[in-house]
Amino acid sequence: MNRTHTLLFLILLFPLLHSCATAPKTLMREDPLIGKIVEAGTQRFIDFNSLVDRLADQDVIYLSEKHDNPMHHAVQHRIIQELINRGKSPVIGFEFFSMEDTPHLLNFLDSGQAAHSKKQEAVIEKDLRIKLGWENQSDRMWKFYFDLVSLGRDNGLTMAGLDLSQVLKRRITRKGISGLTRIEKEQIFSTEYGNKDYQDHMETLFKEVHCGMGHGKMTKKLYDTWLARNDKMALSITQLVGQASGRGPVVVIMGNGHTEYGLGVVDRVKFLAPGITQKNLSMVEITREPSGLEEYFFPLDLQGFAPAPPADFLWFTQRVSYKDPCEKFRKIFKKMKSRKEMNPGGKSESETEDSPGTSTT
């Protein structure tokens, strides 16, 4: 499984697994690329200040992550703090929260206007976590995002969710767009920006990242969900650019798969608002086996799209795990298959909300 497939695998499977995520106990591979920043256009190393120089004047900055890598969240924090230090007032948009969650984030922002005791702060955090639907997720993952939300509050920054609601995402994955009711379809924004070659490419990836265990109907529903989410997040980002009103860039906290090769969300923002300037910093884990720099910049060759590097800038980090991601995935499917054989009249894999196929974040 190559790097692109691994990133997409984690994007699809993450909500199913991150509630029990723990720090891996595995031997880390040393690599001279760790901590290095590379400008894709020149494939030259640049330092942190040069990176921020190139990002600061953009309308939109994507800080594209692997969700469970703490180093990626540390980089995000550092860049946002540096933008603040330079007099910017970035607006932070989160993939992991829906646009409907935005009032909860803004209420939390308002809480920074008064001093609170540690006990009161703990109550405020717990309340926010519940309202955002994260009370049953792992403390480790929550702290990654709460750190960024707290940074926003402590500096008076506007924050917003970008995505569809969890319920609607699950409905699309279970039913497909065509299977939704009219009232549900009216809640979904579509750019009408489609490309058959891109769809074929993504559906191929969905099959590959499911370790050969996907099937046609579910693959189509996954693509429906993927498209609906990217369209919604692109719309949200363009709306936030208007909210920023030149005070600072919109900083997008998002998984790598939604931005890689300038596709997914990035090209839809460009389609909706061609005048918006965008740069994508992708935080990239080193490969399992040693690789040359050129291997990280292998362009996507997709008909209808100009060859492009994975991102405008790459920041290399250590891996969270060196294990085969398909190993755990196969065990999950084996258990699901056993349950289905024991209960043949029950729900199928494609109808079960706990199925890996329904995990599309």
Side-chain angles (χ1 to χ4, degrees):
M1 182 179 290
N2 66 25
R3 183 175 63 85
T4 299
H5 297 168
T6 301
L7 287 172
L8 190 55
F9 176 92
L10 290 160
I11 289 165
L12 293 171
L13 193 59
F14 175 75
L16 181 70
L17 301 181
H18 83 295
S19 61
C20 57
T22 57
K25 296 180 180 179
T26 185
L27 184 64
M28 299 288 106
R29 178 174 73 79
E30 295 300 321
D31 190 299
L33 284 176
I34 293 176
K36 298 292 180 60
I37 307 167
V38 180
E39 184 176 37
T42 61
Q43 292 192 24
R44 294 179 179 175
F45 296 109
I46 61 174
D47 60 23
F48 177 75
N49 285 330
S50 297
L51 170 68
V52 179
D53 287 343
R54 289 163 169 77
L55 297 178
D57 62 350
Q58 299 295 305
D59 295 319
V60 182
I61 302 168
Y62 300 91
L63 302 183
S64 304
E65 64 186 31
K66 179 176 175 288
H67 300 310
D68 63 344
N69 191 315
M71 291 163 279
H72 294 188
H73 297 289
V75 169
Q76 291 165 341
H77 185 120
R78 184 181 175 190
I79 290 174
I80 294 171
Q81 184 62 65
E82 179 60 23
L83 290 170
I84 295 167
N85 293 346
R86 295 186 179 202
K88 300 286 186 178
S89 297
V91 175
I92 310 176
F94 293 91
E95 171 199 345
F96 264 114
F97 307 130
S98 70
M99 182 57 83
E100 289 78 8
D101 289 327
T102 299
H104 299 311
L105 295 171
L106 296 179
N107 281 337
F108 181 72
L109 171 65
D110 291 343
S111 73
Q113 297 175 7
H116 300 95
S117 66
K118 288 186 178 181
K119 185 175 181 179
Q120 289 171 321
E121 285 290 346
V123 171
I124 292 171
E125 177 184 350
K126 182 179 180 180
D127 180 64
L128 177 66
R129 185 171 179 175
I130 291 171
K131 287 177 177 176
L132 294 175
W134 278 63
E135 67 272 27
N136 295 322
Q137 307 297 354
S138 73
D139 291 343
R140 178 172 177 264
M141 292 303 306
W142 166 251
K143 289 189 182 300
F144 290 156
Y145 295 99
F146 184 66
D147 171 72
L148 297 175
V149 171
S150 297
L151 177 64
R153 183 194 67 169
D154 295 344
N155 290 277
L157 305 181
T158 299
M159 298 176 286
L162 301 174
D163 209 345
L164 297 170
S165 69
Q166 288 289 350
V167 174
L168 188 51
K169 285 188 287 187
R170 289 172 181 164
R171 286 283 294 175
I172 300 171
T173 306
R174 289 182 60 194
K175 300 288 186 179
I177 293 292
S178 62
L180 298 181
T181 63
R182 180 177 177 180
I183 193 170
E184 288 173 312
K185 291 178 182 178
E186 289 176 351
Q187 297 177 53
I188 299 171
F189 170 77
S190 175
T191 60
E192 303 296 338
Y193 175 60
N195 181 285
K196 186 61 168 59
D197 292 307
Y198 176 69
Q199 179 175 347
D200 291 343
H201 167 70
M202 291 306 306
E203 290 185 359
T204 298
L205 285 186
F206 290 150
K207 293 174 184 177
E208 292 182 4
V209 301
H210 280 83
C211 308
M213 300 180 194
H215 57 83
K217 289 183 179 179
M218 178 52 65
T219 300
K220 176 62 169 66
K221 292 173 184 176
L222 284 173
Y223 182 73
D224 282 352
T225 312
W226 178 259
L227 206 61
R229 295 186 60 215
N230 287 339
D231 281 347
K232 173 63 175 179
M233 291 192 286
L235 175 64
S236 300
I237 289 167
T238 60
Q239 292 170 335
L240 290 181
V241 170
Q243 175 73 28
S245 300
R247 294 179 293 115
V250 173
V251 175
V252 177
I253 306 300
M254 180 175 285
N256 275 302
H258 292 285
T259 61
E260 199 168 34
Y261 297 107
L263 302 177
V265 171
V266 180
D267 62 341
R268 281 166 171 73
V269 169
K270 183 178 180 180
F271 176 78
L272 290 172
I276 287 178
T277 59
Q278 309 177 82
K279 290 292 183 185
N280 179 24
L281 166 65
S282 175
M283 285 156 281
V284 178
E285 292 185 329
I286 57 169
T287 52
R288 287 184 177 80
E289 300 297 330
S291 300
L293 183 63
E294 67 281 355
E295 294 182 49
Y296 292 94
F297 285 92
F298 193 78
L300 176 67
D301 185 13
L302 186 61
Q303 186 174 351
F305 296 91
D312 298 298
F313 304 94
L314 271 63
W315 186 316
F316 293 96
T317 73
Q318 182 57 267
R319 300 185 65 84
V320 169
S321 174
Y322 284 82
K323 294 181 180 179
D324 177 5
C326 283
E327 182 180 350
K328 192 167 188 176
F329 190 74
R330 292 189 189 100
K331 291 179 181 178
I332 292 169
F333 260 104
K334 186 175 181 180
K335 289 180 181 178
M336 292 171 62
K337 184 178 180 181
S338 297
R339 288 200 301 267
K340 185 178 179 182
E341 289 173 349
M342 292 174 64
N343 182 26
K347 291 183 178 181
S348 69
E349 290 172 1
S350 64
E351 297 170 330
T352 304
E353 289 199 6
D354 290 336
S355 164
T358 67
S359 302
T360 55
T361 298

